[in-house]
Amino acid sequence: MKITSEQFGITSAGDEVRLFSLTNNQGTEVKITNYGGIIAAIKVADREGKIDDVVLGHDTLEGFLNRSRYFGAVVGRYANRIAHGRFTLNGDSYSLATNNGANHLHGGLKGFDKVVWEARELSNGLQLEYLSKDGEEGYPGNVRATINYSLTPANELRIEYLATTDKETIINLTNHSYFNLAGEGTILRHELTLNADAFTPVDKGLIPTGEIRSVANTPMDFTSVAAVGARIGDDYEQLKFAGGYDHNFVLRGGAEELKQAATIYEPRCGRVMEVFTTQPGMQFYSGNFLDGSIVGKQGVPYVRHSGCCFEPQHFPDSPNHPEFPSTVLKPGEQYQHTTVYKFSVR
Ligand code: GLA
């Protein structure tokens, strides 16, 4: 693996932002910026050897600064929603920034996707580090987060998430890349398998109700392969609430083990992506809020379903659901999760 870097731009606060490029011997290139830890590009061959960029985003730093839909970014401190931005920990109540109606979404007004991370080039990848101060966006504790990105000869983009705190807190980190394996058009004909027998239904505000519902006999069932768009218009309350898929799937397998979460295949170009993670859940989001108003790379407007996200995570709003796996991090503990996005062709 080879790593190079160039200047990407300067933020309004005067911080220099760099763009790193990781390449392997298969000709795969992953571009990552230390602004938001954003994966700005993944260029990978199709069945015929043609290289395309399979993630949405922008060509310039300004693009990412001005119109965040979390394209490619690290999401934290808490990925997804916390109802009313409120939770209690050891009897203390905390109030977080609310930025999604009445709720807290993806870390708040200035989450981990909008900060400049300290970057270090490693022999096998890139390390980003950020110190989130006690009280940031309302969260308790000084949290030191580290993200390690590496690209293997087997075309695996590996992301390791680490964090420590000096005061009991909550944490839930993920990546918000929007994938489109064809590099254009929508993802409706991509063929998807999810290793999930259940999901967490939501209310109209996309907050989990607490129920763990079987996917059986619902459009949420991707235990055998189905096109993403095949049932998206079905008259199913959950799809209507979200305008498509925007749900946390409960993954098969042990919470801490690295297990396969998803396989997605684009039949025309032959690209396949497999997702592996140590997380207990994964948000599958079909890009429902993209409405053509954001113009992305090479001047392409991102319309509805232009890309889809696989966000391995703990369940949304876990701090208010004691029945969900815990997202509490205590001083002296090490938060550690790994997600792998593996590319191949068929
Ligand atoms: C996540 C959420 C969606 C949406 C996107 C960002 O996937 O679950 O509801 O907020 O992020 O647009």
Side-chain angles (χ1 to χ4, degrees):
M1 200 221 67
K2 202 178 82 190
I3 180 164
T4 58
S5 82
E6 61 188 280
Q7 210 203 53
F8 199 30
I10 305 208
T11 66
S12 52
D15 293 315
E16 195 208 329
V17 172
R18 301 203 60 84
L19 185 64
F20 298 85
S21 164
L22 279 54
T23 49
N24 69 7
N25 56 5
Q26 295 208 38
T28 299
E29 181 181 21
V30 176
K31 291 189 179 193
I32 302 165
T33 163
N34 60 321
Y35 175 74
I38 291 171
I39 296 172
I42 301 179
K43 295 184 180 175
V44 54
D46 72 2
R47 195 191 279 136
E48 316 296 336
K50 179 173 172 272
I51 305 271
D52 286 304
D53 188 350
V54 298
V55 286
L56 308 191
H58 299 284
D59 294 316
T60 62
L61 176 64
E62 288 64 43
F64 286 109
L65 292 174
N66 296 337
R67 335 182 162 79
S68 167
R69 279 280 175 184
Y70 307 95
F71 289 123
V74 175
V75 184
R77 288 190 193 185
Y78 198 98
N80 216 283
R81 295 174 178 78
I82 296 179
H84 304 290
R86 280 194 221 117
F87 67 100
T88 58
L89 207 53
N90 291 327
D92 291 324
S93 351
Y94 293 95
S95 214
L96 304 173
T98 48
N99 58 325
N100 187 242
N103 302 321
H104 177 85
L105 175 68
H106 293 335
L109 298 168
K110 190 175 178 188
F112 285 7
D113 61 299
K114 297 184 187 68
V115 301
V116 177
W117 295 64
E118 209 179 293
R120 198 168 305 120
E121 294 183 18
L122 305 176
S123 61
N124 66 339
L126 175 70
Q127 180 169 76
L128 298 183
E129 217 175 80
Y130 175 65
L131 174 67
S132 173
K133 300 251 173 72
D134 188 17
E136 192 175 274
E137 301 294 311
Y139 290 101
N142 291 294
V143 166
R144 186 171 288 281
T146 306
I147 319 280
N148 293 322
Y149 300 86
S150 60
L151 178 63
T152 73
N155 263 353
E156 298 157 318
L157 170 60
R158 232 188 134 85
I159 311 179
E160 188 187 22
Y161 303 84
L162 302 162
T164 54
T165 183
D166 62 0
K167 190 173 169 190
E168 192 161 328
T169 191
I170 55 166
I171 189 151
N172 188 25
L173 303 179
T174 194
N175 177 274
H176 207 300
S177 288
Y178 290 69
F179 296 94
N180 181 322
L181 296 184
E184 60 176 23
T186 75
I187 46 78
L188 295 173
R189 290 193 180 155
H190 283 43
E191 296 176 8
L192 176 65
T193 316
L194 295 177
N195 289 327
D197 299 305
F199 73 106
T200 50
V202 291
D203 65 17
K204 284 186 181 147
L206 304 188
I207 298 288
T209 59
E211 181 191 349
I212 307 264
R213 188 184 295 174
S214 165
V215 297
N217 306 313
T218 77
M220 315 305 277
D221 189 354
F222 286 97
T223 54
S224 42
V225 64
V228 173
R231 296 161 295 174
I232 218 164
D234 281 14
D235 185 22
Y236 184 64
E237 174 209 63
Q238 287 295 314
L239 291 173
K240 288 205 205 144
F241 284 175
Y245 297 100
D246 191 356
H247 295 83
N248 170 62
F249 287 79
V250 179
L251 299 175
R252 289 178 187 156
E256 301 297 317
E257 73 181 288
L258 190 68
K259 57 200 171 284
Q260 187 153 6
T263 307
I264 187 152
Y265 168 63
E266 204 288 314
R268 285 165 305 163
C269 71
R271 288 191 189 90
V272 178
M273 182 178 77
E274 292 162 278
V275 185
F276 301 84
T277 187
T278 55
Q279 294 274 14
M282 185 176 69
Q283 189 83 6
F284 173 60
Y285 172 55
S286 55
N288 317 323
F289 293 124
L290 299 174
D291 59 4
S293 62
I294 296 177
V295 176
K297 293 178 200 176
Q298 300 186 327
V300 175
Y302 291 143
V303 299
R304 195 165 197 192
H305 311 310
S306 288
C308 59
C309 304
F310 298 89
E311 305 162 67
Q313 58 175 7
H314 268 256
F315 305 175
D317 200 29
S318 294
N320 294 308
H321 288 279
E323 69 277 22
F324 290 170
S326 169
T327 52
V328 172
L329 182 69
K330 296 184 178 150
E333 289 178 351
Q334 173 78 254
Y335 171 92
Q336 180 167 17
H337 276 290
T338 302
T339 291
V340 177
Y341 300 98
K342 179 175 185 182
F343 298 91
S344 58
V345 290
R346 216 186 264 169

